[in-house]
Amino acid sequence: MTNRNPSTATPLASIATSRDGFEFDPTTRHWRLSRDNTLLLHWMGRLLDEPLHTGARRALLHYAETYSAAHTSNMAERLHALLSFISRNDGRQSRITPHMLINYRATLDRTTEHYLGALKGFLKRWVELGYGGVDPEVVPLLDGWRLKGNVKGLAVRTRSPSEGPLSVLEYEALQQRLLDAYELSDVTLDDFVLVMLFMATGRRPAQLADLKGLDLIEAQSSDGLREFVVRVPRRKQRGIGWRMELKPVGLTPEIGAAVRALIEKNEARLSALRPDLFVALKELPLFPAWHTVTQMAKRSSPAFSRLMEGEAPHVTAAELRLRLVSTVASLSVPSERTGGCIRVFPTR
Protein backbone atom coordinates (compact mmCIF):
# COMPACT_ATOMS: atom_id res chain seq x y z
CA MET A 1 0.00 0.00 0.00
CA THR A 2 1.22 3.46 -0.86
CA ASN A 3 1.06 5.87 2.06
CA ARG A 4 0.75 9.53 1.29
CA ASN A 5 0.07 12.46 3.54
CA PRO A 6 -2.87 14.35 1.97
CA SER A 7 -1.76 17.63 3.49
CA THR A 8 1.60 17.49 1.70
CA ALA A 9 0.46 15.75 -1.49
CA THR A 10 1.48 17.28 -4.78
CA PRO A 11 -1.19 19.75 -5.95
CA LEU A 12 -3.44 18.61 -8.78
CA ALA A 13 -2.15 19.53 -12.21
CA SER A 14 -4.22 22.01 -14.19
CA ILE A 15 -4.44 19.67 -17.18
CA ALA A 16 -5.23 15.95 -17.23
CA THR A 17 -6.23 13.63 -20.06
CA SER A 18 -9.01 11.09 -19.80
CA ARG A 19 -8.55 7.56 -21.09
CA ASP A 20 -10.72 8.59 -24.04
CA GLY A 21 -8.23 11.34 -24.94
CA PHE A 22 -10.10 14.43 -23.69
CA GLU A 23 -8.18 17.09 -21.78
CA PHE A 24 -9.77 18.64 -18.68
CA ASP A 25 -8.83 20.64 -15.60
CA PRO A 26 -9.13 18.34 -12.55
CA THR A 27 -9.35 21.32 -10.18
CA THR A 28 -12.70 22.45 -11.66
CA ARG A 29 -16.28 21.33 -11.17
CA HIS A 30 -16.76 20.00 -14.70
CA TRP A 31 -14.64 17.25 -16.26
CA ARG A 32 -15.28 16.49 -19.92
CA LEU A 33 -14.11 12.89 -20.21
CA SER A 34 -15.57 11.98 -23.61
CA ARG A 35 -18.04 13.38 -26.05
CA ASP A 36 -20.78 11.52 -24.13
CA ASN A 37 -19.67 11.97 -20.52
CA THR A 38 -19.05 15.06 -18.41
CA LEU A 39 -18.58 14.74 -14.65
CA LEU A 40 -20.38 17.40 -12.61
CA LEU A 41 -18.56 17.69 -9.29
CA HIS A 42 -20.16 20.83 -7.86
CA TRP A 43 -21.53 18.75 -4.98
CA MET A 44 -18.06 18.10 -3.55
CA GLY A 45 -17.56 21.57 -2.11
CA ARG A 46 -20.99 21.42 -0.50
CA LEU A 47 -20.69 17.97 1.10
CA LEU A 48 -17.02 17.38 1.80
CA ASP A 49 -14.30 18.74 4.05
CA GLU A 50 -10.61 17.87 3.89
CA PRO A 51 -9.07 15.36 3.50
CA LEU A 52 -12.15 13.68 1.99
CA HIS A 53 -12.60 16.37 -0.66
CA THR A 54 -9.05 16.07 -2.00
CA GLY A 55 -9.04 12.29 -1.68
CA ALA A 56 -12.28 11.90 -3.61
CA ARG A 57 -11.08 14.18 -6.38
CA ARG A 58 -7.77 12.32 -6.69
CA ALA A 59 -9.47 8.91 -6.71
CA LEU A 60 -11.86 9.99 -9.45
CA LEU A 61 -8.97 11.49 -11.41
CA HIS A 62 -7.16 8.15 -11.26
CA TYR A 63 -10.26 6.44 -12.67
CA ALA A 64 -10.74 9.12 -15.34
CA GLU A 65 -7.18 8.58 -16.58
CA THR A 66 -7.29 4.78 -16.31
CA TYR A 67 -10.82 3.61 -17.06
CA SER A 68 -13.59 4.47 -19.50
CA ALA A 69 -15.56 7.69 -19.13
CA ALA A 70 -18.77 5.72 -18.57
CA HIS A 71 -17.22 3.66 -15.74
CA THR A 72 -15.76 6.78 -14.11
CA SER A 73 -19.12 8.55 -14.36
CA ASN A 74 -20.81 5.59 -12.69
CA MET A 75 -18.32 5.68 -9.82
CA ALA A 76 -18.89 9.42 -9.37
CA GLU A 77 -22.66 8.92 -9.35
CA ARG A 78 -22.51 6.13 -6.78
CA LEU A 79 -20.04 8.10 -4.61
CA HIS A 80 -22.34 11.13 -4.74
CA ALA A 81 -25.27 9.00 -3.56
CA LEU A 82 -23.25 7.58 -0.66
CA LEU A 83 -21.90 10.94 0.48
CA SER A 84 -25.28 12.64 0.12
CA PHE A 85 -26.78 10.05 2.47
CA ILE A 86 -23.95 10.45 4.98
CA SER A 87 -24.05 14.26 4.90
CA ARG A 88 -27.83 14.34 5.19
CA ASN A 89 -27.54 12.63 8.57
CA ASP A 90 -24.29 14.09 9.90
CA GLY A 91 -23.47 17.22 7.89
CA ARG A 92 -20.26 17.82 5.96
CA GLN A 93 -17.82 14.94 6.19
CA SER A 94 -14.05 14.65 6.35
CA ARG A 95 -13.77 10.82 6.24
CA ILE A 96 -15.61 7.68 5.14
CA THR A 97 -15.74 5.20 8.01
CA PRO A 98 -16.95 1.59 8.37
CA HIS A 99 -19.84 2.81 10.53
CA MET A 100 -21.08 5.06 7.72
CA LEU A 101 -20.99 2.20 5.21
CA ILE A 102 -22.88 -0.08 7.60
CA ASN A 103 -25.60 2.55 7.99
CA TYR A 104 -25.75 3.13 4.23
CA ARG A 105 -26.06 -0.57 3.46
CA ALA A 106 -29.01 -0.80 5.87
CA THR A 107 -30.96 1.56 3.59
CA LEU A 108 -30.47 -0.64 0.49
CA ASP A 109 -32.56 -3.60 -0.63
CA ARG A 110 -32.18 -6.42 -3.18
CA THR A 111 -32.71 -4.07 -6.10
CA THR A 112 -30.34 -1.34 -4.87
CA GLU A 113 -27.56 -3.19 -3.03
CA HIS A 114 -25.50 -3.11 -6.24
CA TYR A 115 -25.02 0.63 -5.62
CA LEU A 116 -22.60 -0.24 -2.82
CA GLY A 117 -21.28 -3.23 -4.74
CA ALA A 118 -20.19 -0.93 -7.55
CA LEU A 119 -18.30 1.24 -5.05
CA LYS A 120 -16.50 -1.68 -3.41
CA GLY A 121 -13.59 -1.80 -5.85
CA PHE A 122 -13.43 1.98 -6.08
CA LEU A 123 -13.12 2.50 -2.32
CA LYS A 124 -10.54 -0.27 -1.99
CA ARG A 125 -8.45 1.23 -4.77
CA TRP A 126 -8.78 4.65 -3.12
CA VAL A 127 -7.27 3.28 0.10
CA GLU A 128 -4.52 1.45 -1.82
CA LEU A 129 -3.53 4.68 -3.54
CA GLY A 130 -3.23 6.38 -0.14
CA TYR A 131 -5.13 9.50 -1.13
CA GLY A 132 -6.73 10.00 2.30
CA GLY A 133 -10.33 10.45 3.34
CA VAL A 134 -11.23 6.74 3.65
CA ASP A 135 -10.43 4.79 6.83
CA PRO A 136 -8.26 1.72 6.06
CA GLU A 137 -10.69 -0.39 8.14
CA VAL A 138 -13.18 0.02 5.29
CA VAL A 139 -11.25 -2.55 3.21
CA PRO A 140 -11.70 -5.62 5.46
CA LEU A 141 -15.33 -4.62 6.01
CA LEU A 142 -16.03 -4.57 2.26
CA ASP A 143 -14.07 -7.80 1.74
CA GLY A 144 -16.30 -9.51 4.29
CA TRP A 145 -19.53 -8.48 2.57
CA ARG A 146 -21.21 -10.43 -0.21
CA LEU A 147 -23.06 -7.70 -2.07
CA LYS A 148 -25.74 -8.60 -4.60
CA GLY A 149 -25.21 -7.47 -8.17
CA ASN A 150 -27.51 -5.49 -10.38
CA VAL A 151 -30.70 -7.27 -11.41
CA LYS A 152 -30.31 -7.83 -15.15
CA GLY A 153 -32.76 -8.97 -17.77
CA LEU A 154 -35.88 -8.67 -15.62
CA ALA A 155 -37.93 -7.14 -18.44
CA VAL A 156 -36.84 -9.97 -20.76
CA ARG A 157 -37.56 -12.75 -18.27
CA THR A 158 -41.00 -11.39 -17.44
CA ARG A 159 -41.76 -10.68 -21.14
CA SER A 160 -42.82 -7.15 -20.24
CA PRO A 161 -44.98 -5.72 -23.07
CA SER A 162 -43.69 -2.21 -22.38
CA GLU A 163 -40.08 -2.77 -21.29
CA GLY A 164 -39.11 -6.14 -22.76
CA PRO A 165 -38.19 -7.07 -26.33
CA LEU A 166 -40.63 -6.51 -29.16
CA SER A 167 -42.79 -9.42 -30.23
CA VAL A 168 -42.42 -10.78 -33.76
CA LEU A 169 -45.61 -8.99 -34.82
CA GLU A 170 -44.46 -5.70 -33.26
CA TYR A 171 -41.06 -5.95 -34.91
CA GLU A 172 -42.56 -6.64 -38.33
CA ALA A 173 -45.14 -3.86 -37.93
CA LEU A 174 -42.43 -1.35 -36.97
CA GLN A 175 -40.23 -2.37 -39.87
CA GLN A 176 -43.05 -2.11 -42.42
CA ARG A 177 -44.26 1.24 -41.07
CA LEU A 178 -40.71 2.58 -41.20
CA LEU A 179 -40.30 1.47 -44.84
CA ASP A 180 -43.64 3.04 -45.80
CA ALA A 181 -42.77 6.31 -44.03
CA TYR A 182 -39.40 6.50 -45.76
CA GLU A 183 -40.93 5.90 -49.20
CA LEU A 184 -43.42 8.71 -48.50
CA SER A 185 -40.57 10.99 -47.28
CA ASP A 186 -42.12 11.15 -43.82
CA VAL A 187 -38.80 9.93 -42.40
CA THR A 188 -35.41 11.28 -43.48
CA LEU A 189 -32.71 9.01 -44.86
CA ASP A 190 -30.59 9.68 -41.76
CA ASP A 191 -33.31 8.55 -39.34
CA PHE A 192 -34.35 5.64 -41.55
CA VAL A 193 -30.79 4.28 -41.53
CA LEU A 194 -30.45 4.91 -37.81
CA VAL A 195 -33.57 2.94 -36.84
CA MET A 196 -32.80 0.14 -39.29
CA LEU A 197 -29.27 -0.23 -37.90
CA PHE A 198 -30.63 -0.41 -34.36
CA MET A 199 -33.01 -3.15 -35.45
CA ALA A 200 -30.53 -5.04 -37.63
CA THR A 201 -27.48 -4.97 -35.36
CA GLY A 202 -28.86 -4.68 -31.82
CA ARG A 203 -25.93 -2.41 -30.93
CA ARG A 204 -25.90 0.36 -28.34
CA PRO A 205 -26.23 4.06 -29.29
CA ALA A 206 -22.57 4.72 -28.46
CA GLN A 207 -21.47 2.04 -30.93
CA LEU A 208 -23.58 3.42 -33.77
CA ALA A 209 -22.43 6.95 -32.95
CA ASP A 210 -18.82 5.75 -33.41
CA LEU A 211 -19.44 4.50 -36.95
CA LYS A 212 -17.64 6.05 -39.90
CA GLY A 213 -18.51 5.74 -43.57
CA LEU A 214 -15.46 3.59 -44.13
CA ASP A 215 -16.96 0.92 -41.86
CA LEU A 216 -19.36 -0.19 -44.59
CA ILE A 217 -17.81 -2.99 -46.65
CA GLU A 218 -19.45 -3.89 -49.95
CA ALA A 219 -18.75 -6.90 -52.16
CA GLN A 220 -20.37 -8.78 -54.99
CA SER A 221 -21.22 -12.44 -54.53
CA SER A 222 -20.75 -15.14 -57.15
CA ASP A 223 -24.41 -14.86 -58.17
CA GLY A 224 -24.03 -11.15 -58.82
CA LEU A 225 -25.83 -9.89 -55.72
CA ARG A 226 -24.35 -7.16 -53.56
CA GLU A 227 -23.36 -8.14 -50.04
CA PHE A 228 -22.82 -5.66 -47.22
CA VAL A 229 -21.00 -5.83 -43.90
CA VAL A 230 -20.70 -3.00 -41.38
CA ARG A 231 -17.75 -3.02 -38.97
CA VAL A 232 -19.20 -1.93 -35.63
CA PRO A 233 -16.76 -0.48 -33.04
CA ARG A 234 -16.77 -2.33 -29.76
CA ARG A 235 -17.36 -0.58 -26.45
CA LYS A 236 -16.96 -1.56 -22.77
CA GLN A 237 -13.78 -3.50 -23.53
CA ARG A 238 -11.20 -2.68 -20.86
CA GLY A 239 -7.85 -1.70 -22.27
CA ILE A 240 -9.30 -1.16 -25.75
CA GLY A 241 -9.20 2.42 -27.02
CA TRP A 242 -11.75 4.21 -29.18
CA ARG A 243 -12.43 2.35 -32.44
CA MET A 244 -9.47 0.04 -31.86
CA GLU A 245 -11.60 -3.10 -32.17
CA LEU A 246 -14.30 -3.55 -34.83
CA LYS A 247 -16.73 -6.44 -35.19
CA PRO A 248 -18.27 -7.20 -38.61
CA VAL A 249 -22.06 -7.46 -38.79
CA GLY A 250 -23.87 -8.57 -41.94
CA LEU A 251 -26.59 -6.35 -43.42
CA THR A 252 -29.34 -7.15 -45.89
CA PRO A 253 -28.84 -5.67 -49.37
CA GLU A 254 -31.69 -3.21 -48.71
CA ILE A 255 -30.19 -1.87 -45.48
CA GLY A 256 -26.69 -1.87 -46.95
CA ALA A 257 -27.87 0.17 -49.93
CA ALA A 258 -29.52 2.68 -47.60
CA VAL A 259 -26.31 3.03 -45.58
CA ARG A 260 -24.37 3.55 -48.82
CA ALA A 261 -26.85 6.25 -49.87
CA LEU A 262 -26.39 8.03 -46.52
CA ILE A 263 -22.60 7.92 -46.88
CA GLU A 264 -22.85 9.51 -50.34
CA LYS A 265 -25.22 12.15 -49.01
CA ASN A 266 -22.80 13.02 -46.19
CA GLU A 267 -19.85 13.19 -48.58
CA ALA A 268 -21.74 15.53 -50.91
CA ARG A 269 -22.59 17.83 -47.99
CA LEU A 270 -18.96 17.95 -46.83
CA SER A 271 -17.72 18.58 -50.38
CA ALA A 272 -20.12 21.51 -50.62
CA LEU A 273 -18.55 22.98 -47.47
CA ARG A 274 -14.96 22.63 -48.69
CA PRO A 275 -14.29 21.01 -52.09
CA ASP A 276 -10.59 20.65 -51.20
CA LEU A 277 -11.27 18.38 -48.23
CA PHE A 278 -11.80 15.21 -50.25
CA VAL A 279 -8.92 13.51 -48.40
CA ALA A 280 -10.93 13.62 -45.18
CA LEU A 281 -14.05 12.06 -46.69
CA LYS A 282 -13.03 8.56 -45.62
CA GLU A 283 -13.01 9.65 -41.96
CA LEU A 284 -16.48 11.22 -42.10
CA PRO A 285 -18.81 9.73 -39.45
CA LEU A 286 -21.91 7.91 -40.59
CA PHE A 287 -23.87 10.24 -38.28
CA PRO A 288 -21.88 13.50 -38.24
CA ALA A 289 -22.30 16.32 -35.75
CA TRP A 290 -22.70 18.81 -38.59
CA HIS A 291 -22.38 21.94 -36.45
CA THR A 292 -18.97 20.72 -35.27
CA VAL A 293 -17.93 19.61 -38.75
CA THR A 294 -18.87 23.03 -40.15
CA GLN A 295 -16.68 24.76 -37.57
CA MET A 296 -13.84 22.33 -38.19
CA ALA A 297 -14.04 22.97 -41.95
CA LYS A 298 -12.86 26.55 -41.34
CA ARG A 299 -9.43 25.25 -40.37
CA SER A 300 -6.53 24.34 -42.62
CA SER A 301 -6.79 21.09 -44.56
CA PRO A 302 -4.15 19.25 -42.43
CA ALA A 303 -5.75 20.40 -39.18
CA PHE A 304 -9.20 19.39 -40.41
CA SER A 305 -7.96 15.94 -41.41
CA ARG A 306 -6.43 15.38 -37.97
CA LEU A 307 -9.65 16.40 -36.24
CA MET A 308 -11.71 14.11 -38.44
CA GLU A 309 -9.74 11.12 -37.16
CA GLY A 310 -10.98 11.75 -33.62
CA GLU A 311 -14.34 11.80 -31.84
CA ALA A 312 -15.14 15.48 -32.34
CA PRO A 313 -17.18 15.17 -35.58
CA HIS A 314 -19.34 12.32 -34.24
CA VAL A 315 -22.77 12.86 -32.67
CA THR A 316 -23.24 11.82 -29.07
CA ALA A 317 -24.91 8.61 -28.01
CA ALA A 318 -27.55 10.67 -26.21
CA GLU A 319 -28.52 12.38 -29.46
CA LEU A 320 -28.91 9.09 -31.31
CA ARG A 321 -30.98 7.73 -28.45
CA LEU A 322 -33.36 10.69 -28.65
CA ARG A 323 -33.57 10.43 -32.44
CA LEU A 324 -34.48 6.75 -32.20
CA VAL A 325 -37.21 7.37 -29.64
CA SER A 326 -38.69 10.37 -31.46
CA THR A 327 -38.59 8.71 -34.90
CA VAL A 328 -40.39 5.57 -33.72
CA ALA A 329 -42.90 7.66 -31.77
CA SER A 330 -43.71 9.64 -34.93
CA LEU A 331 -44.64 6.42 -36.73
CA SER A 332 -47.46 5.59 -34.25
CA VAL A 333 -47.09 1.83 -34.70
CA PRO A 334 -49.82 -0.07 -32.81
CA SER A 335 -48.93 -2.91 -30.45
CA GLU A 336 -51.14 -6.02 -30.39
CA ARG A 337 -50.12 -6.58 -26.76
CA THR A 338 -50.81 -3.20 -25.18
CA GLY A 339 -53.41 -1.70 -27.50
CA GLY A 340 -51.38 1.50 -27.63
CA CYS A 341 -48.46 2.62 -29.77
CA ILE A 342 -45.14 0.82 -29.58
CA ARG A 343 -42.74 2.57 -27.27
CA VAL A 344 -39.12 1.95 -28.21
CA PHE A 345 -35.76 2.72 -26.61
CA PRO A 346 -32.33 1.28 -27.54
CA THR A 347 -32.30 -1.69 -25.15
CA ARG A 348 -35.55 -3.04 -26.55
Side-chain angles (χ1 to χ4, degrees):
M1 181 185 298
T2 302
N3 293 312
R4 301 176 185 171
N5 186 339
S7 64
T8 60
T10 304
L12 289 170
S14 59
I15 296 294
T17 304
S18 72
R19 200 200 73 170
D20 289 2
F22 280 65
E23 290 188 347
F24 62 97
D25 183 348
T27 66
T28 64
R29 297 179 176 184
H30 302 83
W31 296 2
R32 180 80 185 278
L33 304 183
S34 72
R35 73 178 193 276
D36 297 312
N37 295 92
T38 299
L39 289 194
L40 304 179
L41 303 178
H42 56 279
W43 51 270
M44 283 191 169
R46 176 170 49 86
L47 301 179
L48 311 181
D49 285 330
E50 296 299 339
L52 184 54
H53 188 165
T54 297
R57 192 171 286 268
R58 290 184 181 278
L60 286 173
L61 175 59
H62 169 76
Y63 266 65
E65 294 176 328
T66 309
Y67 301 103
S68 71
H71 185 53
T72 304
S73 295
N74 184 45
M75 292 301 100
E77 183 179 350
R78 299 274 58 88
L79 181 64
H80 183 200
L82 168 66
L83 296 173
S84 293
F85 166 78
I86 294 172
S87 299
R88 185 164 57 248
N89 293 323
D90 302 312
R92 290 166 62 93
Q93 296 297 311
S94 60
R95 302 193 67 78
I96 294 175
T97 67
H99 179 69
M100 293 172 179
L101 293 182
I102 292 171
N103 288 341
Y104 180 61
R105 186 186 184 186
T107 69
L108 306 176
D109 57 26
R110 174 65 184 88
T111 63
T112 57
E113 194 172 87
H114 68 277
Y115 293 169
L116 186 54
L119 274 180
K120 181 177 179 179
F122 177 76
L123 292 174
K124 290 176 63 177
R125 184 61 176 151
W126 183 341
V127 173
E128 291 171 1
L129 290 168
Y131 287 153
V134 179
D135 285 355
E137 292 78 10
V138 160
V139 174
L141 174 69
L142 291 172
D143 284 338
W145 281 349
R146 296 187 63 181
L147 300 168
K148 295 180 175 63
N150 192 9
V151 180
K152 300 180 177 67
L154 182 62
V156 174
R157 293 198 302 271
T158 60
R159 299 183 182 275
S160 169
S162 59
E163 303 289 336
L166 300 178
S167 69
V168 173
L169 290 178
E170 289 171 335
Y171 185 94
E172 293 176 347
L174 173 58
Q175 187 176 54
Q176 187 59 54
R177 180 71 185 94
L178 180 63
L179 288 167
D180 293 342
Y182 176 61
E183 291 178 358
L184 295 171
S185 299
D186 291 335
V187 170
T188 66
L189 174 61
D190 309 57
D191 289 338
F192 173 76
V193 170
L194 174 64
V195 179
M196 291 301 289
L197 284 178
F198 268 118
M199 297 177 71
T201 69
R203 274 17 184 217
R204 296 185 298 277
Q207 292 177 277
L208 298 190
D210 288 345
L211 286 171
K212 291 182 179 290
L214 57 81
D215 292 321
L216 181 70
I217 307 299
E218 182 178 351
Q220 193 167 21
S221 63
S222 57
D223 56 8
L225 296 177
R226 286 195 298 173
E227 296 182 343
F228 293 92
V229 170
V230 62
R231 302 179 306 170
V232 181
R234 301 191 69 178
R235 284 280 191 126
K236 291 190 174 182
Q237 307 300 310
R238 290 192 179 182
I240 301 298
W242 183 68
R243 286 185 51 84
M244 286 182 60
E245 188 172 324
L246 308 174
K247 184 174 183 178
V249 178
L251 300 177
T252 65
E254 295 77 15
I255 298 176
V259 175
R260 170 60 63 197
L262 178 57
I263 292 171
E264 293 172 355
K265 175 186 173 183
N266 290 338
E267 291 177 346
R269 182 169 176 177
L270 179 60
S271 297
L273 281 175
R274 282 273 299 272
D276 62 314
L277 296 178
F278 65 93
V279 176
L281 288 178
K282 65 182 181 68
E283 294 290 345
L284 190 61
L286 185 61
F287 300 105
W290 281 111
H291 175 74
T292 301
V293 172
T294 300
Q295 296 300 313
M296 288 166 46
K298 298 176 182 178
R299 301 198 179 197
S300 66
S301 181
F304 179 82
S305 296
R306 287 194 300 272
L307 289 170
M308 287 294 288
E309 294 174 359
E311 295 189 47
H314 291 255
V315 298
T316 64
E319 182 177 340
L320 287 194
R321 188 178 296 109
L322 288 174
R323 283 171 58 181
L324 169 69
V325 172
S326 62
T327 299
V328 174
S330 72
L331 300 175
S332 300
V333 183
S335 166
E336 92 280 359
R337 292 190 292 173
T338 66
C341 292
I342 293 175
R343 173 175 166 267
V344 165
F345 43 88
T347 52
R348 293 201 77 186

